[in-house]
């Protein structure tokens, strides 16, 4: 039977409605395939979503991106949400240190000079490091700039060892490298692959002057990743099936696949599996990849999010990060959530292995006094609500050696492809990595089908 005669020619099924799956489905549909997107949850967005709590719309956690995240920026443009998640004009991160005799505010910021001069003035004025430590950062940055993040040898080294070899003190690691690294890698330097750390710091800080400018959604994430994404999929002709669990994927003797859903079976030439690594392992047909057990060896790392509603405004800036405190990053989510009276702060606590199962009452006892220490205006303010969201498998763990475990988009089974931030994108587990994986999987599928296509990031370049 020729492809033109085959009734399933041009049929594709994407399993998983996170950013990777949405991206892949859009690209396949744009190339003329008939696409069905199956998602078990009642919404799209994967692990970057919103939910209702009383009269508020709450994000499960604070998600940010950088100007260098060109794939996620493409995604925002594609779904019509770029204006709803703007970027800073220039990188500016308030850093409040409460570990000394009195609180001290510093800022990590850039100017408009070329790399690496764009950070020199800001670093020279950064009060949380000594003069010698600031000088050592410059030397380490120059060494980091020479690294190739794609060098497999870097995957076997932990970032902390490399920093120590390049003269970085424990204070420098705490007040600079881990300040950024924990938020982007979801691990401390000691538990991070040098390859992934080099990708983050080299791409974000040492390529373009504005590469590390921060963007975040000024609306609930669900508006971007569910409402707008669902409309974009419908406009592209994608059939989106929510609350639809996939029970299995079977190869057809004549080629292609049968995707078993709850109560029906879909037939397709192309299947993109855009789910978490453990779920992918359970669904992969036999022989689809060599050593499928390596997917189970890709460990996960948690993120804890603490949500506090006050009866008054206690924070005057959109966000800050802290030193000398268990608090990591604090964001003002008042307007985005729909709160009209008081203030809603969200604390994002990455690499939260030690706290992810801590009872809410204990977290309240720990974090409310810390917020009062960091924010004097919170002293005496009434706490109207305090709740916690936990993502126990928020990201893959970026530990040394993880690179050799991450599979490419292509499998050994024709027509079957993998997507997800845990695949071999070269990026850590970020929204950027998820979108890139969807682009990679769709591109590989279209190439195999002989469908002309251009990579959207190459088109933009």
């Amino acid at each position: 039977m020729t492809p033109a005669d085959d009734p399933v020619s041009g049929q594709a099924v994407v399993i998983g409605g996170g950013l990777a799956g949405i991206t892949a489905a859009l690209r396949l549909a744009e190339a003329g395939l008939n696409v069905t997107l199956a998602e078990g949850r009642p919404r799209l967005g994967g692990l970057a979503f919103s939910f209702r709590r009383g009269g508020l719309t709450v994000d499960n956690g604070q998600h940010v991106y950088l100007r260098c995240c060109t794939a996620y920026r493409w995604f925002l443009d594609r779904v019509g949400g770029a204006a709803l998640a703007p970027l800073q004009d220039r990188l500016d991160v308030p850093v409040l240190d409460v570990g000394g005799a009195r609180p001290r505010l510093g800022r990590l910021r850039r100017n408009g000079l070329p790399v690496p001069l764009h950070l020199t003035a800001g670093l020279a004025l950064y009060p949380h490091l000594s003069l010698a430590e600031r000088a050592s950062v410059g030397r380490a940055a120059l060494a980091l700039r020479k690294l190739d993040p794609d060098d497999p040898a870097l995957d076997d080294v932990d970032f902390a060892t490399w920093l120590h070899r390049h003269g970085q003190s424990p204070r420098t690691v705490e007040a600079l490298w881990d300040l950024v690294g924990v938020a982007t890698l979801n691990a401390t330097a000691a538990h991070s692959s040098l390859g992934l750390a080099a990708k983050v710091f080299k791409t974000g800080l040492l390529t373009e002057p504005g590469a590390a400018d921060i963007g975040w959604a000024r609306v609930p994430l669900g508006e971007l990743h569910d409402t707008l994404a669902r409309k974009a999929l419908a406009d592209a002709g994608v059939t989106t099936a929510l609350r639809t669990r996939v029970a299995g994927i079977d190869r057809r003797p004549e080629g292609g696949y049968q995707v078993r859903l709850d109560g029906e079976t879909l037939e397709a030439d192309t299947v993109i599996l855009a789910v978490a690594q453990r779920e992918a392992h359970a669904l992969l047909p036999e022989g689809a990849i060599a050593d499928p057990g390596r997917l189970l060896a890709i460990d996960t790392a948690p993120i804890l999010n603490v949500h506090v509603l006050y009866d008054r405004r206690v924070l005057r800036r959109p966000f800050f990060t802290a030193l000398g405190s268990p608090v990591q990053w604090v964001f003002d989510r008042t307007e985005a959530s729909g709160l009209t009276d008081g203030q809603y702060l969200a604390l994002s606590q990455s690499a939260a292995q030690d706290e992810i199962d801590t009872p809410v009452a204990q977290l309240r006892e720990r974090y409310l006094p810390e917020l009062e220490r960091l924010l004097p205006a919170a002293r005496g303010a009434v706490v109207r609500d305090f709740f916690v969201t936990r993502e126990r498998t928020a990201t893959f763990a970026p530990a040394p050696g993880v690179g050799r475990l991450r599979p490419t988009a292509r499998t050994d089974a024709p027509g079957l492809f993998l997507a997800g931030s845990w695949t071999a994108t070269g990026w850590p587990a970020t929204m950027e990595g998820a979108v890139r994986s969807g682009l990679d999987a769709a591109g590989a599928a279209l190439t195999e089908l002989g469908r002309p296509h251009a990579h959207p990031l190459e088109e933009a370049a």
Side-chain angles (χ1 to χ4, degrees):
M1 182 179 290
T2 66
D5 297 328
D6 189 341
V8 299
S9 180
Q11 300 290 329
V13 175
V14 177
I15 302 170
L19 297 182
I22 296 167
T23 298
L26 287 171
R27 292 299 290 167
L28 294 179
E30 289 166 354
L33 274 68
N34 297 315
V35 183
T36 297
L37 173 62
E39 167 57 52
R41 303 180 181 92
R43 53 157 181 82
L44 299 177
L47 292 178
F49 66 94
S50 306
F51 62 93
R52 297 288 294 177
R53 181 180 173 92
L56 301 182
T57 303
V58 175
D59 289 346
N60 69 314
Q62 181 63 49
H63 297 260
V64 303
Y65 69 102
L66 306 180
R67 193 180 297 276
C68 63
C69 295
T70 52
Y72 183 67
R73 289 171 61 198
W74 170 87
F75 177 91
L76 290 175
D77 283 333
R78 180 63 182 78
V79 303
L84 302 177
L87 287 151
Q88 293 176 313
D89 292 333
R90 288 186 178 181
L91 173 69
D92 187 358
V93 179
V95 184
L96 182 60
D97 184 6
V98 292
R102 59 191 181 92
R104 191 175 190 185
L105 180 66
R107 307 185 91 91
L108 290 172
R109 57 174 73 178
R110 74 167 179 93
N111 56 35
L113 294 175
V115 174
L117 300 177
H118 67 309
L119 296 174
T120 302
L123 184 61
L125 298 173
Y126 189 54
H128 306 321
L129 296 177
S130 68
L131 182 61
E133 287 168 334
R134 285 175 241 163
S136 76
V137 169
R139 293 191 294 271
L142 291 175
L144 190 65
R145 199 177 185 186
K146 297 176 182 177
L147 296 179
D148 177 4
D150 295 326
D151 181 353
L154 271 57
D155 184 51
D156 293 322
V157 181
D158 71 83
F159 190 36
T161 295
W162 187 91
L163 290 172
H164 177 71
R165 288 173 182 167
H166 287 80
Q168 303 304 285
S169 69
R171 173 61 177 178
T172 308
V173 174
E174 175 198 14
L176 182 65
W177 300 107
D178 268 353
L179 191 74
V180 176
V182 168
T184 52
L185 294 162
N186 197 22
T188 61
H191 297 94
S192 299
S193 154
L194 174 57
L196 287 172
K199 181 67 176 180
V200 166
F201 285 97
K202 187 172 181 178
T203 305
L205 298 178
L206 300 171
T207 52
E208 302 281 342
D213 299 342
I214 299 174
W216 66 94
R218 308 308 201 265
V219 297
L221 286 172
E223 187 168 335
L224 299 174
H225 301 161
D226 184 22
T227 304
L228 290 180
R230 215 184 296 191
K231 181 180 184 302
L233 289 165
D235 290 345
V238 175
T239 299
T240 301
L242 302 177
R243 297 184 174 88
T244 302
R245 297 281 178 186
V246 175
I249 303 170
D250 302 315
R251 297 193 200 193
R252 300 191 315 155
E254 64 273 31
Y257 296 90
Q258 290 183 327
V259 180
R260 288 181 280 114
L261 311 176
D262 295 333
E264 69 172 310
T265 299
L266 299 178
E267 296 192 344
D269 279 344
T270 301
V271 175
I272 294 182
L273 200 48
V275 294
Q277 58 266 38
R278 283 163 174 74
E279 191 176 347
H281 178 270
L283 290 172
L284 278 172
E286 185 177 355
I289 65 171
D291 187 17
R294 64 188 165 125
L295 271 59
L296 300 179
I298 301 175
D299 205 356
T300 59
I303 296 178
L304 177 76
N305 294 278
V306 176
H307 308 260
V308 187
L309 272 65
Y310 290 101
D311 68 338
R312 68 193 72 170
R313 178 169 289 277
V314 300
L315 175 63
R316 297 293 176 183
R317 52 179 58 92
F319 71 92
F320 73 96
T321 184
L323 296 173
S325 168
V327 171
Q328 293 178 15
W329 291 72
V330 180
F331 290 83
D332 179 7
R333 298 301 295 167
T334 307
E335 184 176 351
S337 70
L339 184 67
T340 57
D341 180 30
Q343 189 171 33
Y344 165 22
L345 301 184
L347 284 63
S348 182
Q349 303 292 114
S350 299
Q353 287 86 346
D354 293 339
E355 291 187 315
I356 195 63
D357 293 317
T358 300
V360 173
Q362 292 183 28
L363 293 171
R364 183 184 179 107
E365 292 175 0
R366 179 176 303 162
Y367 283 104
L368 288 183
E370 280 299 317
L371 284 172
E372 291 184 1
R373 191 159 72 105
L374 293 162
L375 302 171
R379 299 164 192 168
V382 175
V383 177
R384 290 175 170 169
D385 197 6
F386 181 101
F387 59 99
V388 174
T389 52
R390 311 172 199 261
E391 295 296 340
R392 290 178 172 80
T393 58
T395 69
F396 72 83
V402 72
R404 70 175 69 95
L405 302 174
R406 299 171 72 183
T408 64
R410 290 184 178 274
T411 72
D412 296 330
L416 180 63
F417 304 88
L418 299 174
S421 62
W422 53 276
T423 60
T425 65
W427 286 73
T430 56
M431 296 189 297
E432 174 72 6
V435 174
R436 282 181 178 269
S437 77
L439 294 175
D440 290 347
L446 294 173
T447 297
E448 185 174 290
L449 289 169
R451 300 257 180 166
H453 67 283
H455 197 291
L457 302 188
E458 294 173 357
E459 289 177 331

